[in-house]
Amino acid sequence: MTQLYWLHGRGSSLLLECADMGPPLWRYWGPRLEGDMLPGPALGEQGWHFGFHFDPPARLSVFPGGGLGWFGRSALEAHRDGRDFALALQTTGIAQDDNALTFNLVDEIAGIKVELELTLDPATDVLACRTRLTNLGTAPLDVQWLASAVLPLPPAAQRIRYFGGRHAGEFEPREDRLGLATWSRTNRRGLTSHNAFPGAVAAEDGTTEHAGTAYAAQLAWSGNHAQEIEWCDDGGRQWQFGVALAPGELRLEPGASVEAPQVLATCSVEGWQGAARNFHAAARAIISWPGGSRAPRPVHFNTWEGCYFDHDEAALRDLADRAAALGIERFVLDDGWFHRRNDDTSSLGDWWPDAAKYPDGLLPLAQHVTGLGMKFGLWFEPEMVNPDSDLYRAHPEWALQLAGRPLQLSRNQLVLDLTRAEVSNYLFDAIAAMLRAVPVTYIKWDHNRDLVAAGDATGRAAVRRQTLAFYALLARLRSAFPQVEIESCAGGGGRIDMGVLPYVQRFWASDNIDAQSRLEIQRGFLQFLPPEVMGSHIGASPAHTTGRRSSLHFRAAVALQGHLGVELDPAKLDADETARVAQWIAFYKAWRHLLHAEVWGGICEDGLTWHAAGNAEEWVLIVYRCMPSRQRFAPPVRLPFVTPARAYLVQRIGPDRADERERYAASWLARHGLPIPPMHAERAVIYHGKADDL
Ligand code: GLA
């Protein structure tokens, strides 16, 4: 008998079909369908039979198995000493509650059990896919590929938008057309990477930023990852995500299980931005804030580009005084504070204060900072060790390495093997000692190199277990110090993903603080994660990573999109600039409740882009002129997010202005657009909109 299983979200639905004991087949994932209508004949009854075709035709299941009639990619590639390579799962149990479907799938011959859980959150429209694999056999099972999720894409979804990049150039948007050839992206750098974000957005022709169907998915994982989109016999495609495993990296002993990292997926008819807002809502349910709920996101000061390794306690006190006077609420002491760390050639691993720079430890500086009313944060790069460190001299075997292979340095450092309990314990104790000695309520957790020769003490590939050990260390610290927030940084944005999100409250989006570069980086970031966890700083001009000069106005207006910080030497600002930075900080504080709500954004004609945040009742809109205008008059900016049939009072605002309110019909703003004044390149205008009954 054929059974149908529906899940409905706010704007999306999914439908699975189970015939007899067969595996659940994908019938639909897409825009919401009304009611649980009968969807025509069962898939099993739809196959045409031509003489040469394999019979019965295999259709895409939630976990397709290879070798027995499914000719696409298998969701599991595993074997026992070369045997048990084929897989045909039978459904042995199905449970459904309002939002979730759970399937138990077993192949007795292969000795494999797969438990799948699909939860479609009606509030966010985000589908969480969980997969657990168990070895039911009597011999170890070597797993080469385990799909975390297998999602169906309809034939019409032929565009795929994804994000590549490099250090200081994260989230560069790319778009490919899907064809018959398999589309795939794999990251083997040992952590999430700057180069390949573990997610993408598929769309139909005609889909725009704000309208049309988009299918987005991301893997919640901070290690090596792969995604693949493969054409299927019905013209649709299967989209698989998983951990990219090195040979031998995942072996399940008899009876053992492994939980694959989750995939979060969403379908929106409000284009790419609709999918992004769904992800933001899902992320907000995952973030664990100290105290249980989000407090207004405090303005940061980060010392890195202000003083780099040049730590002088008296100068840092002065820096803290200046920061506090600007209105800063959290002061983060970056790299350079610990034992003999004067440049990037030494000391990672020796996590105690440098006796020359801080003869009485960090407590006096931290107390000075807290005395000024700011919170105190501290930089660590826990997973790293320099060969020139006391730690490495005592424990050279603690670095990930492969016997007979040279130790390959990157930024003069090696990676510690967190899979060794003694290493994770050492790091926990070293960090905990600092947190106990000093009133630290914030850790900036860095990771400044890729992993190579990443073998454990037995010579086996260790990236997957390293990633899990990293999560375990974060979890241990969070539970011992629940009041401490953590920022995920990896040479800027090398470890931004939903996998680390349960443990952190901020991401450093990029070492590139150049405002023009940041507009693109931040747009990519916001496709997957919400603005309140996106670290965005007002940096110096010229920007240290690009050499480009830009006005303070433009730098601040770009930094306003995320969790605001300042990263420059305030002593180098003149009196006018100092006053203006303080005004921008006050402006952010006045509007952060809207800036960290729903987000919309777009790219217009004539070098304009815009970013809006808030809700349907009230919002802040920032329009950026990125390029000089080529026109006599700027084009009006259409606002697709306003509620039809309402009116809005729109006021141009800024740190030093609040113009007269203008009243607009929503339909005018949506269809014609808001008039924008002429302005020079690399300037911005900001508006506040508030609904006003028609
Ligand atoms: C990385 C980070 C920077 C800074 C330096 C310190 O590059 O992204 O913000 O913390 O390390 O060495």
Side-chain angles (χ1 to χ4, degrees):
M1 212 188 59
T2 300
Q3 297 275 3
L4 296 175
Y5 297 92
W6 292 92
L7 291 177
H8 294 292
R10 189 171 29 84
S12 67
S13 299
L14 69 81
L15 175 62
L16 299 171
E17 172 181 312
C18 269
D20 304 319
M21 296 277 289
L25 302 176
W26 274 113
R27 287 298 302 270
Y28 184 79
W29 174 50
R32 188 182 159 100
L33 303 175
E34 286 318 318
D36 293 355
M37 290 178 307
L38 279 178
L43 280 178
E45 295 159 21
Q46 290 180 21
W48 290 316
H49 188 77
F50 297 129
F52 190 70
H53 280 171
F54 185 76
D55 189 20
R59 305 301 293 260
L60 181 65
S61 83
V62 290
F63 199 87
L68 296 167
W70 169 254
F71 298 110
R73 178 140 203 213
S74 180
L76 179 70
E77 289 166 6
H79 63 95
R80 293 187 188 83
D81 196 19
R83 298 190 183 81
D84 300 332
F85 64 92
L87 185 71
L89 292 163
Q90 299 280 297
T91 303
T92 57
I94 303 177
Q96 174 158 27
D97 70 21
D98 287 352
N99 310 323
L101 282 165
T102 312
F103 298 96
N104 283 334
L105 310 172
V106 173
D107 181 336
E108 298 283 358
I109 297 169
I112 299 286
K113 179 163 93 174
V114 174
E115 292 155 273
L116 282 182
E117 194 184 300
L118 301 177
T119 310
L120 181 57
D121 178 3
T124 63
D125 257 332
V126 169
L127 173 68
C129 311
R130 287 204 179 78
T131 301
R132 186 181 180 80
L133 170 72
T134 303
N135 178 10
L136 301 179
T138 53
L141 181 78
D142 284 306
V143 179
Q144 189 60 57
W145 172 250
L146 167 61
S148 283
V150 177
L151 297 166
L153 288 174
Q158 295 193 357
R159 296 160 67 192
I160 185 86
R161 184 179 282 190
Y162 58 102
F163 297 85
R166 68 203 71 79
H167 174 242
E170 295 83 345
F171 288 108
E172 211 173 83
R174 310 269 167 86
E175 193 169 312
D176 291 340
R177 192 142 193 101
L178 298 170
L180 282 180
T182 297
W183 180 91
S184 81
R185 293 279 289 153
T186 302
N187 161 56
R188 304 182 190 85
R189 289 175 183 266
L191 74 167
T192 323
S193 88
H194 306 86
N195 310 70
F197 181 82
V201 191
E204 307 191 350
D205 282 342
T207 294
T208 67
E209 290 291 336
H210 306 284
T213 310
Y215 305 82
Q218 52 180 317
L219 182 70
W221 183 243
S222 313
N224 288 334
H225 52 83
Q227 55 174 319
E228 187 174 299
I229 301 179
E230 185 183 52
W231 190 87
C232 299
D233 280 337
D234 62 359
R237 291 176 174 83
Q238 64 155 334
W239 191 0
Q240 293 197 7
F241 278 92
V243 176
L245 295 165
E249 202 174 1
L250 181 54
R251 166 174 277 206
L252 289 184
E253 295 302 324
S257 297
V258 62
E259 181 100 30
Q262 290 193 67
V263 165
L264 299 170
T266 188
C267 172
S268 172
V269 293
E270 294 179 13
W272 284 289
Q273 301 263 327
R277 282 192 297 281
N278 292 348
F279 279 147
H280 296 179
R284 285 174 178 144
I286 292 172
I287 301 167
S288 146
W289 299 105
S293 63
R294 187 179 95 199
R297 305 295 283 136
V299 184
H300 267 217
F301 184 86
N302 189 286
T303 60
W304 180 239
E305 290 201 356
C307 66
Y308 291 104
F309 294 106
D310 191 9
H311 285 215
D312 171 88
E313 198 173 335
L316 280 160
R317 282 169 184 261
D318 177 60
L319 203 60
D321 292 342
R322 289 173 191 270
L326 290 172
I328 301 284
E329 297 163 309
R330 182 185 277 149
F331 184 89
V332 181
L333 191 65
D334 208 285
D335 198 354
W337 60 268
F338 47 98
H339 182 55
R340 293 182 49 239
R341 177 76 166 177
N342 298 318
D343 54 34
D344 67 8
T345 61
S346 76
S347 307
L348 293 170
D350 297 347
W351 299 113
W352 56 91
D354 182 68
K357 297 176 191 169
Y358 300 100
D360 299 314
L362 289 185
L363 189 59
L365 176 63
Q367 282 176 336
H368 182 74
V369 166
T370 53
L372 290 163
M374 297 184 290
K375 296 191 162 123
F376 186 69
L378 199 54
W379 181 93
F380 290 90
E381 198 181 354
E383 291 132 296
M384 298 296 154
V385 65
N386 286 114
D388 181 5
S389 66
D390 288 4
L391 181 68
Y392 188 77
R393 282 184 282 275
H395 294 290
E397 75 285 6
W398 280 11
L400 286 168
Q401 54 197 290
L402 287 176
R405 305 275 176 197
L407 288 171
Q408 287 175 272
L409 298 177
S410 173
R411 208 190 188 208
N412 311 301
Q413 62 201 55
L414 296 166
V415 185
L416 289 170
D417 179 359
L418 263 58
T419 70
R420 288 172 176 254
E422 63 273 32
V423 174
S424 284
N425 288 339
Y426 168 80
L427 293 173
F428 177 84
D429 292 343
I431 297 169
M434 287 307 301
L435 299 191
R436 289 196 187 104
V438 182
V440 173
T441 52
Y442 192 83
I443 292 175
K444 179 176 174 190
W445 186 299
D446 215 334
H447 184 299
N448 283 322
R449 63 161 290 178
D450 295 335
L451 273 58
V452 298
D456 68 5
T458 68
R460 290 190 169 78
V463 170
R464 180 180 159 275
R465 282 172 296 132
Q466 175 86 353
T467 311
L468 293 172
F470 159 65
Y471 291 155
L473 181 56
L474 287 175
R476 198 172 157 196
L477 280 160
R478 289 276 296 134
S479 114
F481 301 95
Q483 79 286 5
V484 174
E485 285 189 28
I486 300 178
E487 172 173 20
S488 175
C489 173
R495 192 151 57 187
I496 296 173
D497 60 79
M498 285 271 195
V500 72
L501 190 63
Y503 315 101
V504 302
Q505 294 79 15
R506 193 188 210 239
F507 296 95
W508 182 223
S510 179
D511 275 351
N512 184 347
I513 323 183
D514 175 316
Q516 188 76 264
S517 311
R518 270 286 180 140
L519 279 175
E520 184 171 272
I521 293 167
Q522 294 179 180
R523 197 176 311 123
F525 181 103
L526 292 170
Q527 180 66 62
F528 300 100
L529 287 152
E532 63 268 32
V533 295
M534 180 174 76
S536 52
H537 294 177
I538 303 174
S541 176
H544 292 197
T545 46
T546 65
R548 181 158 42 194
R549 287 183 185 278
S550 54
S551 67
L552 173 59
H553 173 93
F554 192 59
R555 282 176 277 147
V558 172
L560 219 53
Q561 289 183 2
H563 176 196
L564 185 74
V566 174
E567 187 166 342
L568 44 68
D569 182 357
K572 294 200 175 125
L573 300 175
D574 63 27
D576 175 57
E577 287 169 325
T578 304
R580 285 193 293 133
V581 172
Q583 280 179 336
W584 278 103
I585 288 173
F587 186 72
Y588 162 84
K589 288 179 182 170
W591 296 109
R592 60 187 153 189
H593 63 291
L594 292 179
L595 292 167
H596 299 158
E598 282 195 271
V599 166
W600 303 266
I603 300 173
C604 316
E605 309 75 27
D606 194 36
L608 295 177
T609 68
W610 60 271
H611 173 96
N615 53 59
E617 289 292 308
E618 192 182 2
W619 35 263
V620 169
L621 166 74
I622 314 171
V623 182
Y624 304 94
R625 170 158 287 298
C626 303
M627 302 292 290
S629 176
R630 294 169 187 236
Q631 303 176 180
R632 172 83 197 275
F633 304 105
V637 172
R638 287 182 179 167
L639 307 182
F641 55 87
V642 293
T643 311
R646 300 212 66 172
Y648 285 86
L649 290 174
V650 180
Q651 180 182 31
R652 184 167 166 195
I653 55 172
D656 53 358
R657 70 190 297 155
D659 293 8
E660 286 296 305
R661 289 189 169 82
E662 308 267 5
R663 199 155 183 278
Y664 292 94
S667 57
W668 181 262
L669 294 175
R671 302 209 178 101
H672 175 268
L674 183 72
I676 298 300
M679 54 179 155
H680 280 137
E682 303 201 339
R683 301 285 300 177
V685 277
I686 307 177
Y687 298 89
H688 171 231
K690 200 163 170 41
D692 187 41
D693 284 337
L694 264 184

